[in-house]
Short mmCIF file of all heavy atoms in Angstrom, two decimals:
data_model
loop_
_atom_site.label_atom_id
_atom_site.label_comp_id
_atom_site.label_asym_id
_atom_site.label_seq_id
_atom_site.Cartn_x
_atom_site.Cartn_y
_atom_site.Cartn_z
N VAL A 193 15.29 15.00 0.83
CA VAL A 193 16.27 13.98 0.42
C VAL A 193 16.94 13.38 1.65
O VAL A 193 17.06 12.16 1.80
CB VAL A 193 17.34 14.59 -0.52
CG1 VAL A 193 18.51 13.62 -0.70
CG2 VAL A 193 16.74 14.91 -1.88
N PHE A 194 17.36 14.26 2.57
CA PHE A 194 18.03 13.78 3.78
C PHE A 194 17.08 12.97 4.65
O PHE A 194 17.48 11.97 5.26
CB PHE A 194 18.58 14.96 4.58
CG PHE A 194 19.63 15.76 3.85
CD1 PHE A 194 19.91 17.07 4.22
CD2 PHE A 194 20.34 15.20 2.79
CE1 PHE A 194 20.88 17.80 3.55
CE2 PHE A 194 21.31 15.93 2.11
CZ PHE A 194 21.58 17.24 2.49
N LEU A 195 15.83 13.39 4.69
CA LEU A 195 14.82 12.67 5.48
C LEU A 195 14.66 11.24 4.95
O LEU A 195 14.64 10.27 5.72
CB LEU A 195 13.49 13.42 5.41
CG LEU A 195 12.32 12.83 6.21
CD1 LEU A 195 12.61 12.90 7.71
CD2 LEU A 195 11.02 13.56 5.87
N LEU A 197 16.83 9.56 3.07
CA LEU A 197 18.08 8.81 3.23
C LEU A 197 18.28 8.34 4.67
O LEU A 197 18.79 7.24 4.91
CB LEU A 197 19.27 9.66 2.79
CG LEU A 197 19.44 9.88 1.28
CD1 LEU A 197 20.69 10.72 1.02
CD2 LEU A 197 19.54 8.55 0.54
N GLU A 198 17.91 9.18 5.63
CA GLU A 198 18.03 8.78 7.04
C GLU A 198 17.19 7.54 7.31
O GLU A 198 17.66 6.59 7.96
CB GLU A 198 17.57 9.93 7.95
CG GLU A 198 18.58 11.04 8.13
CD GLU A 198 19.65 10.70 9.18
OE1 GLU A 198 19.72 9.53 9.60
OE2 GLU A 198 20.40 11.61 9.54
N ALA A 201 18.73 4.51 5.54
CA ALA A 201 19.91 3.99 6.25
C ALA A 201 19.49 3.16 7.46
O ALA A 201 20.06 2.09 7.72
CB ALA A 201 20.82 5.14 6.68
N ILE A 212 23.73 8.82 -4.84
CA ILE A 212 24.50 9.46 -3.76
C ILE A 212 25.43 10.52 -4.34
O ILE A 212 25.52 11.65 -3.82
CB ILE A 212 25.31 8.40 -2.98
CG1 ILE A 212 24.37 7.42 -2.27
CG2 ILE A 212 26.24 9.07 -1.97
CD1 ILE A 212 23.53 8.03 -1.18
N SER A 229 27.58 18.43 6.45
CA SER A 229 27.67 17.76 7.75
C SER A 229 26.62 16.66 7.86
O SER A 229 26.93 15.51 8.23
CB SER A 229 27.49 18.77 8.88
OG SER A 229 27.47 18.13 10.13
N THR A 230 25.39 17.00 7.52
CA THR A 230 24.30 16.02 7.55
C THR A 230 24.51 14.93 6.51
O THR A 230 24.35 13.73 6.79
CB THR A 230 22.95 16.71 7.30
OG1 THR A 230 22.75 17.72 8.29
CG2 THR A 230 21.81 15.71 7.36
N LEU A 231 24.89 15.34 5.31
CA LEU A 231 25.03 14.40 4.21
C LEU A 231 26.16 13.39 4.46
O LEU A 231 25.99 12.19 4.23
CB LEU A 231 25.28 15.16 2.90
CG LEU A 231 25.39 14.32 1.62
CD1 LEU A 231 24.18 13.41 1.47
CD2 LEU A 231 25.52 15.23 0.41
N VAL A 232 27.28 13.88 4.96
CA VAL A 232 28.40 12.97 5.26
C VAL A 232 28.00 12.00 6.37
O VAL A 232 28.34 10.81 6.31
CB VAL A 232 29.66 13.78 5.67
CG1 VAL A 232 30.73 12.85 6.25
CG2 VAL A 232 30.22 14.52 4.46
N GLY A 233 27.28 12.49 7.36
CA GLY A 233 26.82 11.61 8.43
C GLY A 233 25.92 10.50 7.92
O GLY A 233 26.05 9.34 8.31
N ILE A 234 24.99 10.86 7.02
CA ILE A 234 24.09 9.86 6.44
C ILE A 234 24.88 8.87 5.59
O ILE A 234 24.64 7.66 5.63
CB ILE A 234 23.00 10.55 5.60
CG1 ILE A 234 22.09 11.39 6.48
CG2 ILE A 234 22.17 9.50 4.84
CD1 ILE A 234 21.11 12.26 5.71
N PHE A 235 25.81 9.39 4.81
CA PHE A 235 26.63 8.53 3.95
C PHE A 235 27.40 7.51 4.79
O PHE A 235 27.48 6.32 4.44
CB PHE A 235 27.60 9.38 3.13
CG PHE A 235 28.47 8.59 2.20
CD1 PHE A 235 27.93 7.88 1.14
CD2 PHE A 235 29.84 8.55 2.39
CE1 PHE A 235 28.73 7.15 0.27
CE2 PHE A 235 30.66 7.83 1.54
CZ PHE A 235 30.10 7.12 0.48
N CYS A 236 27.94 7.95 5.91
CA CYS A 236 28.66 7.03 6.81
C CYS A 236 27.73 5.95 7.35
O CYS A 236 28.11 4.78 7.44
CB CYS A 236 29.28 7.80 7.97
SG CYS A 236 30.68 8.85 7.49
N LYS A 237 26.50 6.34 7.69
CA LYS A 237 25.53 5.35 8.18
C LYS A 237 25.22 4.31 7.11
O LYS A 237 25.11 3.11 7.40
CB LYS A 237 24.24 6.05 8.61
CG LYS A 237 24.36 6.89 9.87
CD LYS A 237 23.04 7.59 10.18
CE LYS A 237 23.17 8.50 11.39
NZ LYS A 237 21.91 9.24 11.68
N LEU A 238 25.08 4.77 5.87
CA LEU A 238 24.78 3.85 4.77
C LEU A 238 25.93 2.86 4.56
O LEU A 238 25.71 1.66 4.42
CB LEU A 238 24.52 4.64 3.49
CG LEU A 238 23.20 5.42 3.42
CD1 LEU A 238 23.22 6.40 2.25
CD2 LEU A 238 22.01 4.47 3.30
N VAL A 239 27.15 3.38 4.56
CA VAL A 239 28.32 2.52 4.34
C VAL A 239 28.50 1.55 5.50
O VAL A 239 28.72 0.35 5.30
CB VAL A 239 29.60 3.37 4.13
CG1 VAL A 239 30.83 2.48 4.06
CG2 VAL A 239 29.48 4.20 2.86
#
Side-chain angles (χ1 to χ4, degrees):
V193 168
F194 297 159
L195 182 66
L197 287 181
E198 281 279 11
I212 296 294
S229 175
T230 302
L231 183 53
V232 169
I234 294 172
F235 181 65
C236 289
K237 290 178 183 178
L238 289 167
V239 173

